[in-house]
Amino acid sequence: LDRKFGLRTIPLALLALCIVSFGLLIPELGIYWDDWEIITMLRLYKLSEFWNYFSGSRPLAAWTYIVFGPFMGANVIAWHIFSLFTRWLAVVAMWWAFCNLWPQNQRQVTLAAFLFAVYPIFVQQPIALSYHQHWIAYFLYFISIGTMIEAIHKPRYFWSLTLVSLICLILNLATFEYFVG
């Protein structure tokens, strides 16, 4: 990467891209699909009821609502901002992990991160309450890979980085089984 656009400015550029691509629409967005059920749960029940709600399909996925629900509550705009923020975190984590994996190809990795930030394969960004979990899972997945690579590159911190990697992997798999492979 050139000096004008250094490694420290890339996360900010990725944030700007996410905001321009998705964030400007947040005031116009509402509640869609399964978000209605989550809003109802947040308004009518205790957070602990999320364990029962998810028990039939993804019994451990309730943790994201239990952890983040108290901050956002039933505020739809807050959930949209949070979903955009988790998208950005996932993109930055992907960029960081792959820069560690391919340090000689940082330009290509950076371009891939910009593409990952806006690639239209994931069109459910407006379904913020349900799909924030996808971005959290991506984030944890890439942090797990990145810390695993760091553990190899930094033998002094091997065990602590491996532990962080395993914790992120377990949380990722507890959120979604999509990344088991």
Side-chain angles (χ1 to χ4, degrees), residues 60-61 63-64 136-137 140-141 164-176:
L60 301 175
W63 77 267
T64 64
I136 288 174
L140 292 167
Y141 175 75
V164 170
S165 180
L166 288 173
I167 290 169
C168 288
L169 175 67
I170 290 166
L171 285 173
N172 164 32
L173 296 178
T175 307
F176 277 122

Side-chain angles (χ1 to χ4, degrees), residues 64-157:
T64 64
Y65 295 103
I66 292 169
V67 170
F68 300 109
F71 301 107
M72 266 78 67
N75 184 330
V76 177
I77 296 294
W79 280 102
H80 281 289
I81 291 169
F82 179 67
S83 185
L84 182 64
F85 178 71
T86 55
R87 181 185 195 119
W88 172 70
L89 285 178
V91 172
V92 171
M94 174 266 206
W95 171 75
W96 170 74
F98 288 171
C99 278
N100 282 339
L101 185 60
W102 297 298
Q104 70 282 6
N105 296 343
Q106 288 185 357
R107 184 178 303 271
Q108 292 89 341
V109 168
T110 301
L111 292 173
F114 277 94
L115 182 61
F116 181 53
V118 297
Y119 189 67
I121 196 168
F122 187 80
V123 296
Q124 283 86 16
Q125 185 68 33
I127 309 167
L129 281 90
S130 298
Y131 282 87
H132 79 279
Q133 290 185 322
H134 289 73
W135 296 116
I136 288 174
Y138 270 128
F139 171 73
L140 292 167
Y141 175 75
F142 287 123
I143 292 295
S144 177
I145 288 175
T147 53
M148 182 174 50
I149 295 165
E150 285 281 319
I152 293 167
H153 291 163
K154 298 177 180 175
R156 181 177 179 201
Y157 302 104

Side-chain angles (χ1 to χ4, degrees), residues 9 11 16 26 31 45 53 59 68 102 105 133 159 163 166 176:
T9 58
I26 287 176
I31 304 170
Y45 300 100
Y53 178 77
F68 300 109
W102 297 298
N105 296 343
Q133 290 185 322
W159 290 111
L163 180 63
L166 288 173
F176 277 122

Side-chain angles (χ1 to χ4, degrees), residues 26-46:
I26 287 176
E28 305 301 320
L29 297 175
I31 304 170
Y32 309 99
W33 293 12
D34 295 341
D35 288 358
W36 285 103
E37 297 170 19
I38 302 301
I39 288 289
T40 302
M41 292 282 297
L42 288 166
R43 286 189 174 182
L44 300 179
Y45 300 100
K46 295 185 227 175

